[in-house]
Amino acid sequence: AKRLSLHFGRALGAEMSLDELRRDHDAVLLAIGVWEERSLGEAAGVVSGLSFLESAKNDPELRAPERVVVLAGGDSAMDAARVAQERGAEEIFIVFAGPRSTMHWHLPESWFTTPGVSAMMEWQPLGYESGGVRIRHTRLGVESVLRAGLIIEAMALKRADGIDIEGVYAAGAVVNGGASVGQCVADGVAVAEQIHDDLLR
């Protein structure tokens, strides 16, 4: 019996559907990663982390404004901050709603002592106002507007809201929002074991 089929060049939702896959297979595992960054909405001077990095890659002459805010949490935040600094930003504010220990960040701690870099931990971004982002301190409750020439959204990626089709399973970043590679692999192993147990019932 055929145990594994690979279909290249076919997009889920375009050339194939979950209903079709479920009809033709005993179980379907979605390990499709994440597809969209979290956003507070559109506003002038606001770009996604991935868009900023792509623009910088495609345009070697691209210059960052003097004052940049990076709404952090996702994997692109570190790269966006570093590239903004390389492209001329003199003041960079890293805004993150949680403690530093839970933020995805792989530059050395000494980077936060670089002149012009401000680490604003436990500040929750709420939304955009003219030329800035409104933020609230998660413990103190005080609010402020942080103004900048560029705001980079790199807060993390959206995860799936839930998959309720019987026989369809999901693992990895699509459900955990982009955790470490090790966590995604562990999730995949756990789901594979669950599928095995379910099919033997």
Side-chain angles (χ1 to χ4, degrees):
K2 190 172 183 182
R3 297 177 61 88
L4 179 64
S5 297
L6 301 177
H7 302 276
F8 296 103
R10 297 182 67 201
L12 184 63
E15 291 86 9
M16 67 175 70
S17 70
L18 275 180
D19 289 336
E20 171 193 349
L21 290 170
R22 184 63 190 95
R23 185 181 63 244
D24 298 338
H25 300 85
D26 294 325
V28 175
L29 171 61
L30 298 178
I32 56 177
V34 285
W35 64 92
E36 185 178 359
E37 291 185 301
R38 291 182 184 161
S39 175
L40 297 178
E42 295 184 10
V46 176
V47 298
S48 75
L50 296 178
S51 295
F52 174 72
L53 291 171
E54 186 175 347
S55 296
K57 179 180 177 183
N58 293 333
D59 182 2
E61 302 302 315
L62 178 74
R63 300 297 297 166
E66 181 178 321
R67 188 175 169 99
V68 173
V69 170
V70 178
L71 304 181
D75 287 329
S76 65
M78 172 193 67
D79 293 325
R82 183 179 46 78
V83 170
Q85 190 177 46
E86 291 170 356
R87 296 300 180 93
E90 295 180 16
E91 291 183 277
I92 301 175
F93 298 86
I94 310 299
V95 177
F96 182 58
R100 168 68 188 89
S101 59
T102 63
M103 185 172 69
H104 288 227
W105 200 269
H106 311 294
L107 285 171
E109 288 295 318
S110 60
W111 188 85
F112 288 99
T113 64
T114 304
V117 172
S118 298
M120 299 183 67
M121 302 297 103
E122 300 189 32
W123 283 92
Q124 174 72 48
L126 302 175
Y128 300 117
E129 298 187 8
S130 179
V133 58
R134 178 164 288 279
I135 55 177
R136 177 190 300 134
H137 197 276
T138 57
R139 288 184 298 108
L140 302 176
V142 295
E143 293 189 10
S144 181
V145 176
L146 186 57
R147 304 204 183 279
L150 176 66
I151 300 170
I152 301 172
E153 291 187 325
M155 295 174 283
L157 299 165
K158 288 186 178 176
R159 64 185 73 194
D161 291 331
I163 301 182
D164 336 349
I165 302 172
E166 184 180 352
V168 176
Y169 303 81
V174 70
V175 290
N176 65 33
S180 67
V181 172
Q183 182 63 52
C184 289
V185 170
D187 289 351
V189 170
V191 171
E193 290 173 352
Q194 183 66 55
I195 292 171
H196 179 266
D197 292 345
D198 291 349
L199 292 179
L200 289 180
R201 287 183 187 161

